[in-house]
Amino acid sequence: MACFFRRSIAAKLGRALQQSEDVFINALSAVPVFKKQSSPVFKLPITVLQSSGILPSTGDIQQQTENLAHQLHQDSVVEEISAGPGVINFKINRKLLVQKMVEPFGGEEDDKFGLNSELFKDLKRGTTLVEYSSPNIAKKFHAGHLRSTIIGNFIANLKQSLGNNVIRMNYLGDWGMQFGLLGAGFGQFGCKEKLKQNPLQHLFEVYVEVNREAEHNEDMKEAARDFFRQLEHHESEAVSLWKQFREITVDEYQHVYKRLGVHFDVYSGESFHQDQAQTVVQLLQSRGLLKTSERGTSVVDLSPAGDMSSVCTVLRSDGTTLYITRDLAAAIDRKERFQFDEMIYVTDKSQANHFQQLFQILLALGHSWADRCQHVPFGLVRGMKTRSGEVVFLEDVLDEARARMLHNMRQTKTTKELENPEDTAEKVGISALIIQDFKGPLLSDYKFDWERMLQAQGDTGVFLQYTHARLCSLLERNEGAQADVVDPSLLLEHTSLNILQHLLRYDEVLCQSAQDLQPRHLVNFLLKLCHLIALAHRELPVKGSSQDVAQARFRLFRGACSVLTNGMKILGITPVDKM
Ligand code: ARG
């Protein structure tokens, strides 16, 4: 495996530079595969040695590179050591590469491949709370909520794979004036029957109706304020209606999340922290952090100079709390309840300032763990529409993805007789959504494009699924070629070597994604893997080859398939075996 090679190169470096070999492990990286190149190479950038103080940071880099390359000697693992521009290249023995890389796929531990890498040894493991999705009851589920859902799920999966204890939390927007309006207007515009049949749709309709009414009807506005006041004072009738709205919404969402392959350990929400939010305000008060603004609101001064040039409002003039106040209470409560080591919030970038203020106030309150809270922001999606128009519900997007995919699948003659084509179309459609979303930096905005994301060729989720299904069918058809021991000298062609060399990078790629929480490293790795597999399908037939060649190739395909499966699952994609 990759670790074996990194270790032996690091040992060489350790001896030459009289350092512990450990310091070199994370500095070495496998060179990405290019079309023409098929030599398995690790590289070490000299600047890394300079910045870690192992080599003097002054002095001619090229000279240092060449000197060091000179000091190192080849052996049976590393066949060639050469100095490139500012990097040392270590070419490893091909046969050994094959032997080490196919080894892990001989037994039952395929799903662990890469996860126990030495690269992760310095990674902090502990309890990670990831908060994602967090839609607002009765309001629109917009593209931002979809992004938050799939990105948060990816982060949670990745953290879990790397050995963290992960708590997945959904923080519903289940409090606020929308309930005042709903509560006040439900009697007039609502219908219990419709609420049962299609809760999300109906609550949204009522919400829209009441809002329209309240625009010109002062009585409606007053009734809404009154209802919300009743809620804040826990009056039982109001609370029971609110509870009903919340429960049916959560039920409904759970159903849709299941389709998406997403789940939560905790359904929390703003409502839970209503009373605690008042306590936080008192705490701020007692610490002398609360000021009263000219408008009568209570604010925390966040300006460096203490001149109120930047403030955060935590209490309205009527004494009610705000979004941030509830977030403060929620964070403190979560820390007490879950003892997390880190907490990650996933929302669109428009809330970056909100979270910065949140963390700053927590720190001011003496909660040093706020330094281990992080906001993962993402950009906007433009033009997410379905055939029937603008998207209001998550379900509409999933239905449309499924319908379009089903349509595409029916166009191709090669589509096998599937037991449940809808289910396959659903899974493939969702993977298309995910890959479109994960391909670039999360912070970038992008344009939602049904046609492009569903293309079978090209860098799409459909392509990943197609490759996976094709591998599964190859493995199934050639089951007889499964062998305990394979001969590495039968996998020395360009095409096999490229795949194995590419697999060398898997742990590095996971490590990169774990560091910056960006899925694109893993996505691009898997897409590239699929391109290499497509070549192998053409050039390395299993069927019709002699038994030992068939066995060796079978193992290669099995390894590639395992890594593809594992990677897809981390991204939150359910791989299909047939399509
Ligand atoms: N419900 C919010 C919205 O839709 C997102 C909540 C994000 N999480 C938080 N702890 N503030 O905008």
Side-chain angles (χ1 to χ4, degrees):
M1 281 211 274
C3 286
F4 170 84
F5 298 108
R6 265 189 228 106
R7 217 358 98 190
S8 61
I9 298 170
K12 256 181 218 306
L13 288 160
R15 277 194 303 274
L17 294 168
Q18 296 182 349
Q19 296 274 340
S20 141
E21 51 187 76
D22 290 346
V23 300
F24 303 104
I25 294 286
N26 288 62
L28 288 161
S29 58
V31 174
V33 173
F34 291 106
K35 276 215 177 78
K36 288 261 144 18
Q37 168 216 330
S38 70
S39 38
V41 171
F42 276 89
K43 65 169 196 269
L44 174 77
I46 291 299
T47 46
V48 178
L49 301 188
Q50 288 186 334
S51 55
S52 54
I54 294 170
L55 288 177
S57 55
T58 52
D60 182 3
I61 290 197
Q62 203 48 33
Q63 198 57 52
Q64 285 180 343
T65 312
E66 273 156 35
N67 288 349
L68 181 55
H70 226 76
Q71 270 175 278
L72 302 165
H73 303 292
Q74 62 198 63
D75 57 23
S76 58
V77 179
V78 184
E79 279 184 339
E80 205 182 297
I81 298 167
S82 59
V87 291
I88 301 187
N89 294 312
F90 302 86
K91 197 161 149 190
I92 56 181
N93 179 291
R94 296 170 180 210
K95 212 162 136 189
L96 204 58
L97 170 85
V98 177
Q99 191 193 328
K100 291 286 171 194
M101 293 308 286
V102 299
E103 218 167 62
F105 303 110
E108 298 296 312
E109 298 267 277
D110 291 26
D111 55 342
K112 304 264 167 7
F113 179 80
L115 296 178
N116 300 321
S117 166
E118 278 188 290
L119 293 182
F120 306 130
K121 69 180 186 316
D122 295 333
L123 218 66
K124 280 187 219 77
R125 291 193 180 76
T127 298
T128 304
L129 195 155
V130 191
E131 188 223 275
Y132 56 106
S133 196
S134 308
N136 304 317
I137 293 180
K139 292 192 191 167
K140 204 176 114 170
F141 187 103
H142 51 73
H145 293 123
L146 175 59
R147 284 205 89 178
S148 171
T149 309
I150 58 181
I151 295 168
N153 185 48
F154 156 73
I155 293 174
N157 292 345
L158 179 65
K159 292 272 175 188
Q160 203 160 2
S161 305
L162 297 178
N164 293 274
N165 168 35
V166 176
I167 298 161
R168 298 162 186 257
M169 181 181 275
N170 196 334
Y171 182 69
L172 297 170
D174 60 358
W175 204 248
M177 204 32 103
Q178 80 254 38
F179 287 98
L181 285 158
L182 275 181
F186 195 77
Q188 198 173 334
F189 304 105
C191 158
K192 290 244 151 115
E193 205 41 51
K194 282 191 189 162
L195 188 64
K196 264 209 200 99
Q197 272 160 13
N198 200 342
L200 296 189
Q201 168 96 30
H202 188 55
L203 279 183
F204 182 70
E205 281 163 5
V206 175
Y207 181 61
V208 172
E209 285 285 331
V210 193
N211 262 301
R212 201 175 295 145
E213 182 68 21
E215 258 169 41
H216 56 84
N217 182 342
E218 274 310 311
D219 291 347
M220 186 49 99
K221 259 189 229 160
E222 186 45 44
R225 273 194 293 270
D226 190 53
F227 191 91
F228 190 55
R229 221 169 357 242
Q230 290 174 33
L231 267 183
E232 295 225 312
H233 291 108
H234 309 293
E235 284 178 25
S236 61
E237 224 168 288
V239 169
S240 113
L241 193 60
W242 168 83
K243 256 207 185 119
Q244 209 187 334
F245 291 156
R246 188 186 193 276
E247 269 165 24
I248 48 178
T249 305
V250 171
D251 280 353
E252 201 68 2
Y253 268 121
Q254 270 176 321
H255 183 74
V256 194
Y257 287 136
K258 198 165 167 212
R259 286 180 65 184
L260 255 185
V262 171
H263 74 277
F264 294 92
D265 302 310
V266 189
Y267 278 86
S268 149
E270 293 182 43
S271 65
F272 288 73
H273 306 289
Q274 179 47 26
D275 296 337
Q276 292 166 349
Q278 295 288 354
T279 317
V280 170
V281 175
Q282 284 159 19
L283 204 67
L284 285 164
Q285 174 84 353
S286 67
R287 297 279 172 99
L289 293 165
L290 212 61
K291 309 248 161 70
T292 307
S293 76
E294 283 160 13
R295 283 181 294 147
T297 57
S298 302
V299 302
V300 179
D301 183 7
L302 295 174
S303 61
D307 57 4
M308 302 274 277
S309 56
S310 141
V311 296
C312 173
T313 308
V314 293
L315 215 53
R316 292 198 189 86
S317 52
D318 65 1
T320 54
T321 60
L322 287 98
Y323 181 52
I324 184 120
T325 330
R326 296 191 278 275
D327 251 329
L328 282 163
I332 296 168
D333 181 61
R334 289 176 196 176
K335 179 66 187 166
E336 277 166 15
R337 275 171 59 202
F338 301 106
Q339 295 296 331
F340 59 75
D341 297 290
E342 60 174 347
M343 172 154 65
I344 297 168
Y345 295 91
V346 188
T347 79
D348 71 71
K349 61 188 176 190
S350 72
Q351 300 202 31
N353 191 38
H354 166 81
F355 286 104
Q356 206 186 322
Q357 294 188 334
L358 173 65
F359 303 152
Q360 203 180 337
I361 299 176
L362 286 170
L363 285 175
L365 280 170
H367 295 301
S368 57
W369 47 262
D371 276 334
R372 284 175 278 127
C373 294
Q374 188 184 352
H375 174 225
V376 176
F378 53 80
L380 306 178
V381 183
R382 274 169 285 124
M384 187 166 96
K385 288 200 179 73
T386 62
R387 287 215 172 90
S388 45
E390 211 203 347
V391 171
V392 183
F393 305 108
L394 173 55
E395 199 157 18
D396 299 338
V397 188
L398 302 190
D399 288 348
E400 177 104 1
R402 181 173 61 193
R404 285 183 183 253
M405 194 56 222
L406 201 58
H407 174 80
N408 290 1
M409 279 162 53
R410 296 215 160 112
Q411 307 295 302
T412 58
K413 285 180 236 56
T414 50
T415 301
K416 312 240 169 38
E417 283 304 310
L418 294 167
E419 259 169 53
N420 188 345
E422 278 83 13
D423 185 56
T424 305
E426 167 124 322
K427 291 188 171 116
V428 179
I430 288 170
S431 51
L433 283 171
I434 293 178
I435 295 301
Q436 158 176 265
D437 197 277
F438 285 4
K439 256 198 318 199
L442 293 180
L443 210 49
S444 305
D445 301 348
Y446 72 85
K447 178 154 183 347
F448 197 91
D449 186 339
W450 285 112
E451 303 259 312
R452 222 174 64 197
M453 82 164 94
L454 289 168
Q455 272 165 9
Q457 268 108 27
D459 288 347
T460 63
V462 183
F463 177 51
L464 288 188
Q465 290 282 22
Y466 170 74
T467 309
H468 182 267
R470 204 170 162 202
L471 282 171
C472 288
S473 115
L474 180 143
L475 296 176
E476 198 188 298
R477 276 183 284 118
N478 296 286
E479 229 171 350
Q482 169 123 3
D484 289 343
V485 186
V486 300
D487 178 356
S489 62
L490 298 175
L491 290 173
L492 293 176
E493 310 85 346
H494 201 70
T495 316
S496 349
L497 282 175
N498 276 351
I499 291 186
L500 296 171
Q501 189 187 333
H502 187 62
L503 296 186
L504 271 181
R505 296 188 57 234
Y506 186 58
D507 56 354
E508 285 174 30
V509 166
L510 290 181
C511 194
Q512 248 177 321
S513 280
Q515 270 159 11
D516 63 11
L517 302 181
Q518 300 284 321
R520 69 173 190 278
H521 312 298
L522 181 54
V523 168
N524 293 325
F525 171 87
L526 294 178
L527 288 168
K528 173 91 188 191
L529 178 61
C530 289
H531 286 293
L532 295 171
I533 293 170
L535 272 180
H537 268 299
R538 243 173 285 151
E539 294 171 12
L540 307 173
V542 177
K543 206 172 161 192
S545 300
S546 68
Q547 193 189 21
D548 45 355
V549 171
Q551 288 176 343
R553 289 180 181 173
F554 182 92
R555 180 72 73 84
L556 174 75
F557 283 115
R558 173 169 161 184
C561 185
S562 299
V563 176
L564 180 58
T565 310
N566 300 346
M568 284 166 84
K569 285 186 181 160
I570 292 178
L571 291 176
I573 294 174
T574 312
V576 300
D577 294 352
K578 285 199 179 82
M579 69 178 272

